[in-house]
Amino acid sequence: KKQNVLSKSAAAKAVDETLKRSVLTTTSHSETTEYYTGPLPHPDALKKYDEFMPGLAERIVRMAEKEQAYRIDTTNREEDQKDKLLKIAEKESNHLIRAQSWGQLIGALISFSCIGIATYFAFTGAAWEIVIGFLAVPTASLIAAFIPRKGSNESSGKRGAKQEKED
């Protein structure tokens, strides 16, 4: 058994010696990948185009410049159109608000006038039919204000929600 242990350690020593004597060489490999994006081909490709047909690279650059100018012009025109539409919508909104305000003011004046006239007739001893007739106008307008209209946004929105549930 002792010889076996000695032979193993001798073998291990031989391997160690071999490793010490051998020169370990390492090799490395590097790879470069290049990505190029943009409206124009890579400069090396442009150079090859120009070698293939003189002046072709310049034509390609000119074409890219024209395309960029067209895109800028289109974007500017779209922004101008959006600004014009916003101004029109703002004017329409202001007109609508003004019209609604005038309508409310006139409605309030009519209602208060009817109430005032009904009060006057009531104190002067006029027939009760006349007093009730003048009070009916503001009462009817108040009731009409709370009844939804068929063409209004609120009622059509509710109808749309009901139709979606049914589907």
Side-chain angles (χ1 to χ4, degrees):
K1 286 187 176 182
K2 287 186 178 183
Q3 281 181 334
N4 220 357
V5 171
L6 286 177
S7 65
K8 283 184 183 177
S9 81
K13 286 182 184 179
V15 169
D16 287 339
E17 286 297 318
T18 306
L19 288 176
K20 285 180 188 176
R21 282 189 231 137
S22 68
V23 178
L24 296 176
T25 59
T26 57
T27 59
S28 65
H29 175 73
S30 67
E31 185 176 306
T32 304
T33 305
E34 187 174 331
Y35 294 100
Y36 186 82
T37 60
L40 294 172
H42 190 277
D44 292 337
L46 272 178
K47 186 177 179 181
K48 289 179 183 177
Y49 280 124
D50 220 20
E51 288 172 0
F52 176 73
M53 180 186 288
L56 186 58
E58 184 179 331
R59 287 172 51 193
I60 292 171
V61 170
R62 214 175 315 124
M63 182 179 67
E65 289 172 344
K66 285 181 181 179
E67 176 68 22
Q68 184 179 17
Y70 173 76
R71 286 183 184 183
I72 290 171
D73 184 50
T74 302
T75 302
N76 289 340
R77 279 188 280 133
E78 286 175 355
E79 288 177 6
D80 289 343
Q81 287 176 348
K82 287 177 186 176
D83 289 341
K84 288 177 184 177
L85 288 174
L86 286 174
K87 287 178 184 178
I88 290 170
E90 183 180 3
K91 283 182 182 179
E92 287 180 358
S93 176
N94 289 338
H95 287 297
L96 180 64
I97 290 170
R98 203 173 299 127
Q100 286 177 343
S101 297
W102 275 106
Q104 290 174 350
L105 179 65
I106 292 170
L109 287 174
I110 291 172
S111 295
F112 289 127
S113 297
C114 288
I115 292 170
I117 292 170
T119 305
Y120 172 76
F121 282 133
F123 283 122
T124 59
W128 63 271
E129 293 89 2
I130 296 173
V131 174
I132 290 178
F134 276 105
L135 288 177
V137 172
T139 305
S141 65
L142 185 64
I143 292 170
F146 290 104
I147 296 175
R149 297 181 189 140
K150 288 183 180 179
S152 70
N153 289 338
E154 292 177 13
S155 63
S156 63
K158 290 177 185 175
R159 252 187 280 126
K162 286 180 183 177
Q163 287 177 350
E164 287 177 8
K165 288 180 183 177
E166 290 174 2
D167 290 340

